[in-house]
Amino acid sequence: MTGASTGADEPRDTTGVTRKTVLRAVALTLPAPLLLGGAARALATGGSPAGPALTPTPMCDDGDDPTPAQMEGPYFKPNSPRRTSLIEAGTVGTRLTVSGYVFGLGCQAIPNVLLDFWQADANGGYDNAGYRFRGHQFTDASGAYRLTTIVPGLYPGRTRHIHVKVQAPGRPVLTTQLYFPGEPRNSTDSLFDPALLMTVRAVDGGREATFDFVLNVAQNPSPSPSPTATPTGTPPPSGTWATGTTYRAGDRVTFGGAGYRCLQAHTAQAGWEPPNTPALWARD
C-alpha cells in the first residue's frame, strides 16, 4: 500500500487487512510524541547520504509494494528550512494538512525519516528565489509526519500535486509526488499514478489528507504486533472477549451479544473491543 484513502487506502490488498494496518492502528492509540531533534541529513543540505547501510533482512510481504518513484521536476531546491508548516503571514489558499507514516518492507514504521516537501502556490507558481512552500521535517518516534500547507494551484500540463523526497537514515532517497483524488486533470497528466493518491476530506477551514509511504528498506518483522499503549476506555459489558488476552488469527470470541473471528494476532487491550477494531476482528 502506498496511499491512504477511505475505502481504498490499500488498493493492492484484497482482504482489507494487512500487518501494517494493525501496526498503524497501534500507533494511533499512542500519545503523539514530539519530533526528534536530530540534525538535518544530507538531502536537506544538498550533500550525499551518510551513515551505515542496514543489514539486509527477510521481506515481510503483506501485499505492500514500495511507494513508486516519480521525476523530481525542474523546481527542487536543496537547503529548505526545517519546518512542519509552510503557512506564512499573508498566505493565500485553501488550508491543507497532510499526515501519515513511513514504513519499511517489514511493515514497521521508521523514525527519523527525512521528508522534504515543495509545491506550487495557490496560483500554480513555484518560488525559485526563496523558500515559500518548501520545507523539510523528520518522522517522529512512531514513524509519523504531519505537514500544514495549502492546496497547490494548477499550472499548464500538470494535475494538482505535491513533491516530496523521502530518505530513511543512511538509505537512498525516494523522490515522488502526491496526488489529489477527483481532479479532472488526473486523466490527462502523463505522470499521474493512482498509487500515489492521497485520501482527502473536507473539514472546517480547509482539507485533511493522509498518505503512508513504504520505503525499500529491509526490516526484521516481529512475529505479531503487540500493543504497548496504556489501556483506556471501558471493559466489555458481556462476552468472552477480555483485555490482556493474547489472540491468534482464527480465534473466536463473543462481545455484546455478537460473535467475532480474530483476523490478526494481537494482545487485547481496553479500547480494542471487536466492534471498534475491524482490522483485528470480523463478525462471524
Side-chain angles (χ1 to χ4, degrees):
M1 182 267 284
T2 55
S5 60
T6 304
D9 60 336
E10 298 187 20
R12 293 181 176 82
D13 174 24
T14 59
T15 67
V17 179
T18 68
R19 186 169 180 273
K20 179 158 59 57
T21 302
V22 178
L23 291 174
R24 194 176 195 278
V26 173
L28 288 173
T29 68
L30 301 176
L34 298 177
L35 286 174
L36 298 181
R41 288 189 295 277
L43 174 60
T45 59
S48 59
L54 299 179
T55 303
T57 53
M59 177 185 295
C60 166
D61 183 6
D62 66 358
D64 292 330
D65 297 320
T67 300
Q70 291 216 313
M71 65 179 295
E72 179 181 282
Y75 301 121
F76 173 71
K77 292 177 60 176
N79 303 308
S80 70
R82 179 175 178 176
R83 56 187 178 180
T84 59
S85 176
L86 306 185
I87 303 296
E88 301 176 356
T91 294
V92 176
T94 302
R95 295 298 192 264
L96 170 72
T97 60
V98 183
S99 61
Y101 292 81
V102 180
F103 295 95
L105 296 178
C107 315
Q108 298 170 335
I110 308 175
N112 208 29
V113 172
L114 174 62
L115 299 102
D116 199 345
F117 294 96
W118 72 102
Q119 67 171 75
D121 62 21
N123 296 317
Y126 286 84
D127 180 9
N128 297 317
Y131 288 93
R132 292 181 63 247
F133 297 109
R134 300 175 184 271
H136 72 272
Q137 61 178 276
F138 296 88
T139 56
D140 64 20
S142 68
Y145 73 92
R146 183 179 180 87
L147 176 72
T148 303
T149 182
I150 64 167
V151 175
L154 294 166
Y155 64 89
R158 292 302 316 277
T159 190
R160 213 177 299 274
H161 63 281
I162 296 174
H163 294 271
V164 59
K165 289 179 178 284
V166 189
Q167 182 187 20
R171 302 299 297 177
V173 176
L174 167 70
T175 301
T176 192
Q177 302 179 35
L178 304 180
Y179 295 99
F180 294 76
E183 288 291 325
R185 292 192 186 181
N186 286 350
S187 61
T188 59
D189 189 329
S190 61
L191 294 179
F192 171 75
D193 185 341
L196 296 169
L197 279 170
M198 298 182 290
T199 296
V200 182
R201 69 186 185 100
V203 295
D204 289 342
R207 300 183 190 177
E208 288 182 349
T210 55
F211 189 91
D212 294 335
F213 296 93
V214 179
L215 298 182
N216 192 13
V217 174
Q219 294 174 319
N220 218 353
S222 58
S224 64
S226 296
T228 56
T230 301
T232 58
T234 57
S238 63
T240 60
W241 181 91
T243 59
T245 303
T246 299
Y247 291 106
R248 299 170 299 178
D251 287 349
R252 284 175 163 79
V253 299
T254 58
F255 179 86
Y260 295 88
R261 175 174 51 86
C262 181
L263 299 174
Q264 293 278 349
H266 67 284
T267 301
Q269 67 175 38
W272 283 32
E273 293 86 352
N276 301 332
T277 52
L280 300 179
W281 296 99
R283 285 285 298 267
D284 262 349

